[in-house]
Structure formats: structure tokens, C-alpha cells
Amino acid sequence: MILNENQSIVNTYLASASLTLVVLLFSWVYWNKRPPNSPPGSNGFPLLGAILSLTSFPQRALTKLGKKYGPIYMVYFGNTAVVVLGNPETAHEAFAKNDCFNDRPQTIPILCSGKGLIMINASDFQREQRRFNLHALREFGMGRKKLEGRLVDVSRQLCKTIDDLCGNSGTSKPFPINEMIYQSISSVISYIIFNHDVTVDDEVFGSLLKEMTETKKENILSGVLMFAPKLKYLPFFSKMWRKSGEFRDKIEEKIKEEVLSHQKSHDRNNPRDFIDCFLNEMNNFSSSKSSGQINKNCDQSDEMNRSYSWQSSSSFTIGQLISSVRDLFMAGTETTASTICWIILFLSHYQDVQEKMQKEIDEEVSRLRPTVPLSVPHMASRDAILNGYVIPKGAIILTNIWGIQHDESRWPEPEKFLPERHLDNDGKFNKSSNWMIFNLGLRNCLGQQLAKMELFIATVSLFQKFSFALPPGTTPDMEGEPQVTLRPNLFEVIATRR
Ligand code: HEM
């Protein structure tokens, strides 16, 4: 009797074990099925996909997978298809020759409000806004001589602060430099947008600048949400998602105050800044209900008249203004400031290179540490063919900028800091088409001209006046913290007047 009972328990166990095995086998086979003719790659673990490989340094993990699968491959994060582009030719094919990879997945909560510039889908609305923003940034100096004066002033101010720290001895004690750099760079874009500086004392902008310099574990994980959006349904990530959204609302509320105060003193014939230009455009629409009329109030040069071709339309609303300001402030501060911090860190570490020429140093550091290492994610707006492969509608498209900048077939000994690789045999600066830290195509970086000016003027001023060194006995962290952007961790330097 007891024997029979035991036998039946064993049978039950065996039956459930076999059933579990069959279910697992079927889910494995089902999970690993890939759409016909999709790019190479693996589906990873059921439900998780390749997500576990991304927790510490996603761009290195994705570059390793690129070595296995080639310049275009598709993995799954959860059940979201993610296509990774790993060389400039594929990125060119995707973004310059195709028009269907320019949407954005809604994966960066601090930038996602359905409005603004960075995370809105490609559309007539987006193109009109991008054109307007480019125009307004140029109007207030991007890529032009007239901004240079402002940049020189900001750099001078920064040098003065460091000079004070050097005191009579000419050499400072170790001091953290990150926040100083962020503050200076934010003041350039602040003047373009608000016609005044924002300070660290301001509750909202101050904490935003602090948030940008800090590298908290929480922020690093929020970088993973950028390409694994479904994680936001898990408790830990959902809290992070909500907090990020709340912070975005706070920033927008603060910007709204700025807009209201601009409205009070607005003179349409004398636009002072980006906000005034936008308000002019809004007024134009409400007064003319867009009869194709072009607003020339903030447009002075012939060159700009030629490119000033959008028509005033209802895409110019207060909500859109607020979100555009948020995007410009954030994109215009964090990326450039991080790059300058990287430059100081690399040059403090590689003293012998510090005396070499400037331009190739800028290029080499941003090659080694591209501050937007996986670009801003794009999204396929329809099923499409890329490099002969089927890319499903809704797939997230990542350009592995980090991988492209570390590809040994294009950059021999890619991990080495060799600024001279950007010089030709005659010692002249040699621009390589493999250097693409701003990505390519219709959604590439809107502020790249401004960024290049800022990098050049700020770093030339700093290194003309000071030599920087790391405090003796410290080992710098040259890896940084990968988030949406790649920032250096806080570090201290010693400045010495030259
Ligand atoms: C070293 C500095 C910078 C780097 C490395 C950088 C890099 C990038 C990258 C990789 C993208 C995504 C391109 C794509 O999705 O195809 C981007 C987008 C963008 N950047 Fe930058 N950026 C920098 C500075 C700036 C500055 C100074 C501004 C503001 C004035 C700015 C404004 C923007 C905007 C608005 C977009 C979104 C463009 C769109 O979606 O149409 N960036 N940037």
C-alpha cells in the first residue's frame, strides 16, 4: 500500500517535471524564433533577452556582440527588438538614405512630454521645429563670431576662478572641477535661451546641474531604460520613471515662469533671445493665422534669410516652447561639459600629451569617450529593409557610436590616447569620416556647431593658462559612468599657472 502511494507520488513528480520541461522547451523554441530575414543576433533568455549583459557598461557589451554578429545585428531587451548599428556605412545607410528610422521610442522620461525637440517622432511638426531651432540658435550666435566674445568671457571667468585657487604659490590644492565646468557651459546656452545666466543657487536649475554632475547608481540604471523601456513596469524602475517625470515637470514649471516674465517685457522688434524669437513666431500665427507669412524680426543676415523658410503655424505653442527650452538647456549643457571634463581628466593623466596641439586633443578625447555613446535611440516608423535585412516597425535603433570610435579596423590600437592619429603626414589636421560623435542624418545633433566652438574656446583658454595634474598617488577612473550620456566620475585636479 505504502509502496503504491510512493510510486504514485513519484509518477506525479515525473509527470509535472516532464510537463515543465516540454513547456520550457516550447517557450525556448518560441522565444528563439526570429522573423524571416531579420539581422543576425540572438534572442537571449526567455522574457529577459540580452538585458543581463547590459547592467555594467552597455556600450562595451554591445561592441562585443558587434564583433560576433557584424555591423548590424538585432537583440531583444525583454520583447523589444533592438537593432544595433556598428559602423559608419550602416549608420549612413540607415539615417541618410532612409526616412523610416527617425522616430524616437519614448524611453527617456526626463525628455519625454510629447513635445520638444529630442524625443518627438519625425513629422512635419518636428521638421518645422528643428528648422526653427537651428535658425534661432544661429541667430544668437551658434557657429558665428558674435558668440565667440561670450565664450571668451565665460572661459575668462572660469580661468579667474581657477587662478584664485592657485593663489600666490601658483599651484592650487586638489579641487573638484566638474561642477565648475558644468556651470560655465550652462551659462552659454542660458544666455542664448534666457538672455541671462542660471546659477547653482537656483533651486531647480541648481539641482538639475547637480544631477548632471553626479553619477548615482540610480542614474546608471535609468540609462538601461533607454533601450529596455518595458522595465519601467517593474517596481524599482517604475519609481525611477515616476521620479524622473516629476523632476521634468518641475523643470518645465520653472521654465514657464521664465516664459511668463519674457511675455511681460516682450518687444517683437527687439528679440533678446530664443524665447523672444519663439514668442514672435507664436504671435505671427495668431495675428495672421498663417498665410505663409515669414517672420523676419529675428533674422538679419542674407544667409539666414535664405534658409529661413518655415511658415508660421500652430506648432508654435507655449507647451512646445517650454519643452524646447528644456531640451536645449539639457542637451546644450551636459554633453559639452562632460566632454570638457573628459579632456581635463585625460590630459591630467597623460602629462606628456598636454603640451600637444589642441584640435586633435579634442577629437581624440571625444573619440575615446563619446559623450552620447549609443546616440539618442531612433525608432523604425514602419517595416523596412536595411542592409538587406528586415527591420520590424517599432524596433529601437541604436547607433553604437562608442563601438565605431573603438573599431580597430578604423582606429589602430583604439584604446590608446594618441591625438597625433588625427594629423596627416604633413602634420595637418585630418578630419576622418569615421569620427561621428554627433551621429548622421536628419536627427543628428542640432547643437554640434555650438559644441565645437565651446570645446575649442574653453579648452584652449584653460590649457593656455594652466597645467593640470592629478593629485599625487591617485588613480583616475578613466571609464566613467555610462548613463544616456557617458560622464566622468567626480575627480580632483591640481592647477598650476603657466
Ligand atoms: C560634445 C557635445 C555634444 C555631443 C557629443 C552631442 C551628441 C548628440 C547625439 C549623438 C545626438 C543624437 C543624434 C541622433 O539621434 O541621430 C544629439 C542630438 C541632439 N543634440 Fe547634441 N551633442 C552635443 C552638444 C549639443 C549642444 C551644445 C546642443 C544644444 C545647443 C545639442 C542639442 C541637441 C539636440 C536638440 C538634439 C536632438 C536632435 C533631433 O532629434 O532632431 N547638442 N546630440
Side-chain angles (χ1 to χ4, degrees), residues 320-471:
Q320 174 60 15
L321 168 56
I322 291 171
S323 299
S324 302
V325 167
R326 172 201 69 204
D327 285 5
L328 286 177
F329 183 81
M330 290 182 68
T333 301
E334 184 173 356
T335 45
T336 316
S338 281
T339 309
I340 294 175
C341 287
W342 278 120
I343 291 172
I344 297 173
L345 182 57
F346 265 83
L347 293 185
S348 301
H349 193 43
Y350 296 98
Q351 288 284 312
D352 52 326
V353 187
Q354 206 174 119
E355 274 145 41
K356 291 203 177 163
M357 281 173 62
Q358 195 61 43
K359 205 163 164 59
E360 60 267 26
I361 289 174
D362 289 357
E363 297 257 319
E364 181 65 351
V365 173
S366 45
R367 181 190 72 77
L368 278 160
R369 295 294 175 267
T371 39
V372 195
L374 296 171
S375 189
V376 178
H378 287 227
M379 190 171 77
S381 50
R382 55 179 149 85
D383 286 346
I385 306 286
L386 180 61
N387 279 19
Y389 297 114
V390 174
I391 309 296
K393 178 179 175 191
I396 292 178
I397 319 287
L398 300 178
T399 315
N400 188 355
I401 295 182
W402 196 92
I404 293 170
Q405 306 311 161
H406 285 78
D407 177 353
E408 57 253 338
S409 69
R410 291 158 203 273
W411 307 101
E413 302 188 273
E415 295 283 350
K416 280 204 175 149
F417 179 49
L418 300 171
E420 59 271 27
R421 69 168 93 233
H422 302 277
L423 297 178
D424 65 16
N425 291 340
D426 301 328
K428 291 211 178 89
F429 182 70
N430 187 12
K431 181 139 188 48
S432 162
S433 59
N434 295 320
W435 188 84
M436 43 169 284
I437 64 157
F438 298 109
N439 209 0
L440 306 167
L442 297 174
R443 300 299 298 264
N444 73 357
C445 177
L446 187 95
Q448 52 186 293
Q449 273 177 300
L450 175 62
K452 284 179 189 162
M453 278 173 90
E454 288 175 328
L455 289 179
F456 189 73
I457 295 177
T459 51
V460 165
S461 317
L462 283 173
F463 284 92
Q464 255 171 11
K465 268 204 115 188
F466 306 100
S467 300
F468 290 95
L470 296 168

Side-chain angles (χ1 to χ4, degrees), residues 141 186 242 255 273 275 277 287 391 448 476:
S186 76
R242 204 189 55 246
I255 296 171
D273 50 28
I275 295 182
C277 260
S287 60
I391 309 296
Q448 52 186 293

